[in-house]
Amino acid sequence: KVSHLVLPESYLRAKTYGQNVVIDTNIYPAKDQNISLLGKIFYGKHPRINMAIKTAEIEFNDMLILAKAFLDSLSIYNELDKITATGSLVADCNIKTNFKKLRSNGSVIIKNGGLIVSGIGKVLADANINLILDNNILDIKDSSLYINESKVDINGKIDEKSVADININANQVP
């Protein structure tokens, strides 16, 4: 139980030593939605990541509600009740990199993502992001979002040698 939310049993285990973090996490932001992270991060002189990420379809607004409940349970002032999130994320991937070489497989898909802030309006809308991690390449395909009312298109890739070739096309973003 987090604040007023009653959720399935979840855990977040992070073991740190020196510049290493070992993560083993299974969090439920809502009854039938879980996020599993398992891996290691080294953030020293030669950083590297080895991480497996798997989720059910996660609704962004449920993540926002969980974050607010968590902060409220710790009596940390926040204004997350002024934000509404739309859309969802599904991930099933493995990433291993030393930021010079990339080994990966799977995907991370964001569908219809958005943020609405009370008093401001739509800040982000219609975010549809397709990150395909097959064949040791992070491929960004047919991805776009709207910032305020301006469309931003994103396409490109990061290859197995961590060389990025990403095209971001935006017109009149405020």
Side-chain angles (χ1 to χ4, degrees), residues 135-150:
N135 303 315
N136 301 327
I137 295 172
L138 190 160
D139 202 1
I140 305 166
K141 290 186 172 187
D142 303 320
S143 297
S144 64
L145 61 102
Y146 285 83
I147 298 175
N148 289 334
E149 297 293 321
S150 299

Side-chain angles (χ1 to χ4, degrees), residues 4-174:
H4 64 282
L5 293 178
V6 178
L7 300 169
E9 186 173 326
S10 298
Y11 61 87
L12 172 91
R13 295 184 186 116
K15 183 177 180 180
T16 62
Y17 52 96
Q19 297 164 323
N20 291 286
V21 180
V22 177
I23 298 171
D24 179 5
T25 299
N26 194 17
I27 296 175
Y28 283 83
K31 183 180 175 191
D32 296 324
Q33 302 175 36
N34 77 301
I35 303 167
S36 173
L37 304 172
L38 182 61
K40 299 176 184 179
I41 300 171
F42 177 75
Y43 54 90
K45 187 174 181 179
H46 302 287
R48 58 191 173 274
I49 297 173
N50 186 356
M51 186 72 58
I53 304 166
K54 186 169 179 87
T55 72
E57 185 164 358
I58 305 296
E59 298 291 329
F60 288 128
N61 208 55
D62 290 334
M63 288 293 299
L64 196 60
I65 291 167
L66 178 62
K68 177 166 180 35
F70 180 72
L71 293 172
D72 288 348
S73 72
L74 297 173
S75 298
I76 296 173
Y77 175 78
N78 66 82
E79 295 183 352
L80 292 179
D81 57 339
K82 295 181 179 180
I83 301 172
T84 303
T86 60
S88 62
L89 167 133
V90 176
D92 186 1
C93 63
N94 295 291
I95 301 169
K96 185 175 184 177
T97 184
N98 61 5
F99 298 95
K100 293 179 183 171
K101 286 186 177 182
L102 174 67
R103 290 190 182 144
S104 63
N105 62 56
S107 64
V108 178
I109 308 295
I110 294 173
K111 295 186 270 183
N112 300 315
L115 280 176
I116 301 165
V117 179
S118 178
I120 296 174
K122 279 186 186 178
V123 178
L124 298 174
D126 299 324
N128 291 292
I129 311 292
N130 302 297
L131 304 176
I132 311 302
L133 294 139
D134 289 336
N135 303 315
N136 301 327
I137 295 172
L138 190 160
D139 202 1
I140 305 166
K141 290 186 172 187
D142 303 320
S143 297
S144 64
L145 61 102
Y146 285 83
I147 298 175
N148 289 334
E149 297 293 321
S150 299
K151 187 173 184 182
V152 178
D153 290 306
I154 309 163
N155 288 290
K157 69 178 179 176
I158 300 174
D159 69 18
E160 66 277 1
K161 293 182 181 175
S162 294
V163 175
D165 181 12
I166 299 171
N167 181 27
I168 301 172
N169 186 14
N171 291 320
Q172 299 177 343
V173 174

